[in-house]
């Protein structure tokens, strides 16, 4: 099993770089560009196993100062390439009622949620099933102190 | 910068058996030829590091201690710089090093490791803490790469329904791996070593 592993120890570059893009374009025409999908929450990982969309098992061990990104080229051979695709990040968009923003911010920090702010809304990164986030603010949703926007 | 040794975190509540797991893991990993070192985290002492050094499981220079000085999760998640520096120093001191095990100080169920610090992490709970622990869905239990349920030999003595505890742990972890251990006797510890070797050393037994 180990002998079939594709060992990857560096990022060759960004698929958008002209030199790489040209070679990848040709390989893609022949269906030889494989994709490894990495969840946003897993991007900081330096060592992990992954399987490409074409079934190649990869053993990825990157230098500590390297960070994965969407479009990172991990392998580029004459007849094959492997490129990273970052999974989409889902966000919960929450609107606090007037006077409740501070408390909602405190709650999110206390629960160690990853958040962003936009137009008076709190965006919470969905790293575990969304029901688990909603369960934590159930009372506030019911009382109208927080509103879930867009679903 | 080189890729250095793989870094594996071991977290979990106070008294769940993190240090006992380390004591059981070290000889098993050494027997597999893994070149390893350990970093322990304590609140204001070097107690766990001293315990490991006294046990003579590793050369004392391969056991480093980090004093958290505050809530233990702050130095494995919010600002893991002290642990990263300790791990970097082990990489420099031992060029062939393959694995660094980083034991967190005892914490609560919300404790998690930053993936900037570790490549893979375990969360250790024990049956004596109560069979409702998995049901409480703490981030440590949900997000760890491997959940270890320790002291399974005690379940009858503390009135714990172990099969139910396991079923609930499986349900909240949506199929992610769980290992039952009795670290004092070594039961299940080989499975933990297998999981670490497979995941970050890319070695299978």
């Amino acid at each position: 099993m180990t002998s079939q592993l594709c060992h990857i120890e560096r990022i060759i570059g960004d698929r958008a770089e002209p030199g790489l893009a040209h070679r990848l374009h040709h390989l893609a025409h022949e269906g030889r560009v494989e994709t490894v999908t990495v969840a946003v929450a897993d991007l900081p990982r330096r060592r992990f196993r992954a399987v490409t969309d074409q079934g190649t098992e990869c053993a990825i061990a990157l230098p500590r100062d390297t960070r994965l990104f969407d479009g990172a080229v991990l392998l580029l051979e004459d007849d094959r390439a492997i490129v990273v695709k970052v999974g989409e990040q889902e966000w919960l968009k929450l609107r606090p009622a007037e006077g409740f923003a501070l408390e909602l911010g405190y709650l999110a920090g206390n629960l160690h949620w990853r958040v962003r702010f936009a137009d008076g809304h709190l965006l919470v990164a969905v790293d575990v099933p969304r029901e688990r986030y909603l369960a934590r603010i159930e009372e506030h949703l019911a009382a109208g102190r927080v509103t879930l926007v867009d679903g | 910068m080189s890729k250095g040794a793989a870094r594996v975190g071991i977290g979990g509540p106070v008294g769940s058996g993190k240090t006992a797991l380390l004591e059981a893991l070290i000889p098993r990993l050494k027997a597999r030829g893994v070149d390893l070192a350990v970093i322990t985290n304590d609140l204001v002492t070097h107690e766990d590091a001293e315990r490991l050094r006294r046990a003579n499981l590793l050369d004392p220079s391969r056991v480093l201690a980090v004093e958290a000085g505050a809530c233990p999760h702050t130095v494995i998640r919010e600002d893991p710089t002290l642990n990263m520096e300790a791990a970097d120093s082990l990489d420099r001191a031992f060029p062939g090093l393959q694995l660094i095990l980083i034991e967190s100080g005892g914490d609560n169920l919300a404790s998690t490791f930053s993936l900037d610090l570790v490549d893979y992490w375990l969360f250790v709970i024990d049956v004596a803490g109560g069979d409702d622990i998995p049901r409480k869905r703490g981030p440590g239990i949900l997000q760890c790469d491997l959940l270890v349920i320790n002291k399974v030999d005690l379940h009858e003595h503390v009135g714990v329904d172990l099969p139910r505890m396991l079923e609930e742990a499986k349900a909240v972890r949506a199929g992610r791996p769980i290992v039952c251990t009795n670290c004092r006797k070594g039961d299940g510890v080989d499975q933990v070593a297998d999981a670490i070797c497979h995941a970050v050393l890319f070695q299978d037994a």
Side-chain angles (χ1 to χ4, degrees):
Chain A
M1 187 172 157
T2 304
S3 62
Q4 297 168 350
L5 276 176
C6 178
H7 288 269
I8 290 165
E9 298 194 345
R10 70 186 183 103
I11 295 174
I12 294 164
D14 187 329
R15 72 175 305 156
E17 291 169 24
L20 293 176
H22 181 70
R23 289 183 65 185
L24 289 169
H25 180 73
H26 283 285
L27 285 169
H29 267 295
E30 298 165 6
R32 295 175 184 275
V33 176
E34 302 183 27
T35 301
V36 166
T37 300
V38 179
V40 174
D42 286 329
L43 280 178
R45 287 189 196 266
R46 271 65 166 223
R47 265 179 192 260
F48 59 101
R49 285 174 174 256
V51 180
T52 72
D53 59 342
Q54 295 186 31
T56 302
E57 284 194 61
C58 301
I60 299 171
L62 301 171
R64 292 276 157 210
D65 57 355
T66 301
R67 191 178 172 99
L68 285 171
F69 55 89
D70 191 55
V73 180
L74 301 180
L75 183 80
L76 186 58
E77 297 173 337
D78 290 341
D79 60 351
R80 181 173 63 152
I82 297 177
V83 179
V84 171
K85 180 177 190 296
V86 175
E88 280 189 26
Q89 177 68 63
E90 185 188 349
W91 298 91
L92 276 183
K93 191 172 184 181
L94 304 177
R95 184 174 60 234
E98 193 174 341
F100 196 70
L102 272 176
E103 198 166 328
L104 180 61
Y106 170 81
L107 182 73
N110 202 34
L111 290 166
H112 301 289
W113 290 350
R114 290 196 298 124
V115 300
R116 285 183 183 168
F117 306 98
D119 303 325
H121 293 85
L122 181 76
L123 305 179
V124 180
V126 178
D127 295 326
V128 298
R130 56 191 276 133
E131 294 72 29
R132 292 185 189 157
Y133 297 92
L134 296 175
R136 300 279 74 75
I137 55 172
E138 199 171 31
E139 286 177 21
H140 302 307
L141 288 167
R145 291 188 287 269
V146 178
T147 305
L148 177 63
V149 182
D150 300 332
Chain B
M1 180 179 262
S2 75
K3 59 185 169 52
R7 298 176 184 181
V8 171
I10 301 177
V14 175
S16 61
K18 296 178 296 301
T19 311
L21 176 63
L22 265 179
E23 288 171 331
L25 265 177
I26 290 168
R28 286 169 173 79
L29 290 167
K30 282 173 73 176
R32 296 173 189 221
V34 177
D35 189 339
L36 79 157
V38 171
I39 299 169
T40 66
N41 284 226
D42 273 311
L43 196 57
V44 287
T45 66
H46 293 181
E47 186 63 32
D48 284 343
E50 292 304 330
R51 174 172 158 184
L52 288 173
R53 287 177 185 137
R54 279 197 302 272
N56 216 18
L57 298 167
L58 279 174
D59 184 301
S61 62
R62 287 174 179 258
V63 181
L64 296 188
V66 166
E67 278 186 32
C71 296
H73 58 260
T74 56
V75 287
I76 61 167
R77 184 178 59 211
E78 280 79 8
D79 181 4
T81 315
L82 286 173
N83 276 301
M84 289 165 78
E85 284 176 355
D88 289 347
S89 74
L90 286 167
D91 271 333
R92 286 192 297 272
F94 303 102
L97 199 60
Q98 293 173 286
L99 177 65
I100 300 171
L101 298 171
I102 303 172
E103 182 197 358
S104 166
D107 208 330
N108 58 37
L109 301 180
S111 178
T112 59
F113 276 86
S114 165
L115 293 177
D116 283 319
L117 173 63
V118 298
D119 304 304
Y120 182 90
W121 59 282
L122 288 56
F123 197 75
V124 184
I125 60 175
D126 72 287
V127 297
D131 54 11
D132 55 349
I133 296 287
R135 269 204 311 280
K136 291 183 175 175
R137 299 168 188 256
I141 286 159
L142 300 181
Q143 295 174 27
C144 66
D145 294 299
L146 179 68
L147 178 67
V148 177
I149 301 178
N150 190 29
K151 307 184 191 177
V152 288
D153 53 312
L154 297 183
H155 75 97
E156 288 176 347
H157 306 292
V158 292
V160 161
D161 182 343
L162 183 59
R164 191 180 76 176
M165 187 178 183
L166 257 176
E167 280 310 307
E168 289 176 349
K170 285 177 188 166
V172 300
R173 283 179 56 72
R176 302 179 83 192
I178 301 166
V179 174
C180 289
T181 57
N182 169 1
C183 290
R184 287 277 167 237
K185 288 195 172 171
D187 298 342
V189 181
D190 278 317
Q191 282 176 266
V192 178
D194 288 346
I196 292 171
C197 290
H198 175 81
V200 294
L201 299 181
F202 313 128
Q203 296 172 0
D204 288 312

